[in-house]
Amino acid sequence: MKPLRLAVLISGTGSNLKVVLDACARGGLAIEVVQVISNRADAGGLQHARQAGVNTAIIDRVTASECGMTQDQQVAQCLRERQPDLVLLSGYMRIVGAELVDEFAGRMINQHPSLLPRYKGLNTYSRVLAAGDQHHGASVHFVTAELDGGPVIAQVRVPVLDDDDPASLAARLAPLEHRLLLAVLEVFCSGRIQWQDGQVLVDHQRLHKPMRLDHDTLLS
Ligand code: GRF
C-alpha cells in the first residue's frame, strides 16, 4: 500500500507533529510526512521535522510579499509542489482563507481542543472552566470556510476535575488528543473515510455524529 502523503501546518511546539513523526518512524503509520509549513520561524515543531528529515518551509507575510503573493497563495504553491493526499492543520494559528480551503476541500483537516461545535476559537480551557462544564475534549474535523466549523470526524472526552486550572486540563487532554490524531490518521490511511459533497462517509456510510476514541479505537 502506498503511504499517505501528509503535509502539516504548524505555528507552535508541534507535539502532535512529533507524535505523528514518531509513529511513522516506528512503522506504525502508513504515512509519509512530505512537508511541514510554519508561519513562525521559532515554532518548536520545525525542529522535530528537521530531525526527522522532513522538508520544512517558513511562510509568513514577509516571505509571501517578497514573492508577490498572499500568505495563503504561497502556502498553496508549496503544497501543490509536494502533492499531499492530506493536509493537517496542527496548531496552525492562522485563519485559512476560502481559496485555500476550496483548493484542498475534503483533503484538509484541523485539530481543535474542544468538543466542537462547543468552544470554537481560542482559550477553550478557561472557557470550559468558566462555564462549569463537566467534560472537555478535542476534535478533529474537516476544514471549511467557517472557522472550526467543518464536519467533525472524531472526538475524545476528558472529565473536568474540581481543582483543574487551564494548564492542568490542557496537560491531561494533550496525550488523549495525540492518540485521537493517530487514530484518525489511521482511518485515512485505510481509505475508510471519504468526503462527498460536504459530507463525511466512513465505510461508505454517512457519519451522522463524530466517532469517539475509546481505548485507542474509534467507535461510530
Ligand atoms: C493542539 O491542542 C491543537 O488542538 C490546537 O493547537 C494545539 C497544538 O499543539 N489547535 P502542538 O503544537 O501540537 O503541541
Side-chain angles (χ1 to χ4, degrees), residues 10-18 45 89-93 110-114 125 138-139 148 170 173-174 177-178 181:
I10 59 167
S11 301
T13 52
S15 65
N16 285 276
L17 170 65
K18 178 153 189 347
L89 308 185
S90 188
Y92 184 57
M93 300 301 284
N110 180 47
Q111 296 181 252
H112 184 72
S114 84
Y125 304 100
S139 306
D148 299 328
L173 182 60
E177 187 177 28
H178 295 159
L181 176 61

Side-chain angles (χ1 to χ4, degrees), residues 34-203:
V34 293
Q35 182 70 51
V36 169
I37 298 174
S38 172
N39 63 329
R40 296 182 55 126
D42 61 354
L46 286 168
Q47 207 44 37
H48 301 314
R50 290 181 190 126
Q51 271 163 8
V54 172
N55 263 348
T56 59
I58 296 156
I59 298 179
D60 59 19
R61 231 177 294 153
V62 176
T63 62
S65 73
E66 279 167 4
C67 315
M69 289 188 234
T70 66
Q71 212 168 316
D72 274 2
Q73 283 168 344
Q74 199 185 6
V75 168
Q77 185 189 55
C78 178
L79 290 174
R80 263 177 235 131
E81 282 165 11
R82 306 301 296 162
Q83 303 209 333
D85 300 308
L86 187 67
V87 178
L88 167 66
L89 308 185
S90 188
Y92 184 57
M93 300 301 284
R94 255 186 68 81
I95 294 177
V96 178
E99 242 177 82
L100 185 54
V101 169
D102 283 351
E103 180 165 346
F104 290 93
R107 291 186 291 149
M108 186 179 273
I109 60 174
N110 180 47
Q111 296 181 252
H112 184 72
S114 84
L115 294 169
L116 290 172
R118 310 191 72 177
Y119 306 110
K120 297 174 180 175
L122 298 175
N123 305 319
T124 63
Y125 304 100
S126 47
R127 287 159 66 202
V128 161
L129 290 170
D133 290 2
Q134 294 193 328
H135 286 92
H136 191 32
S139 306
V140 179
H141 67 94
F142 278 103
V143 176
T144 61
E146 188 197 340
L147 179 68
D148 299 328
V152 180
I153 300 163
Q155 295 182 323
V156 64
R157 285 160 75 93
V158 71
V160 176
L161 306 181
D162 286 344
D163 57 352
D164 262 333
D165 58 24
S168 66
L169 190 51
R172 220 168 44 258
L173 182 60
L176 289 172
E177 187 177 28
H178 295 159
R179 281 148 70 174
L180 178 71
L181 176 61
L182 291 183
V184 168
L185 290 176
E186 262 170 31
V187 173
F188 275 94
C189 289
S190 66
R192 291 177 52 212
I193 188 160
Q194 266 102 37
W195 168 268
Q196 214 172 62
D197 305 324
Q199 293 187 349
V200 184
L201 306 184
V202 175
D203 299 330

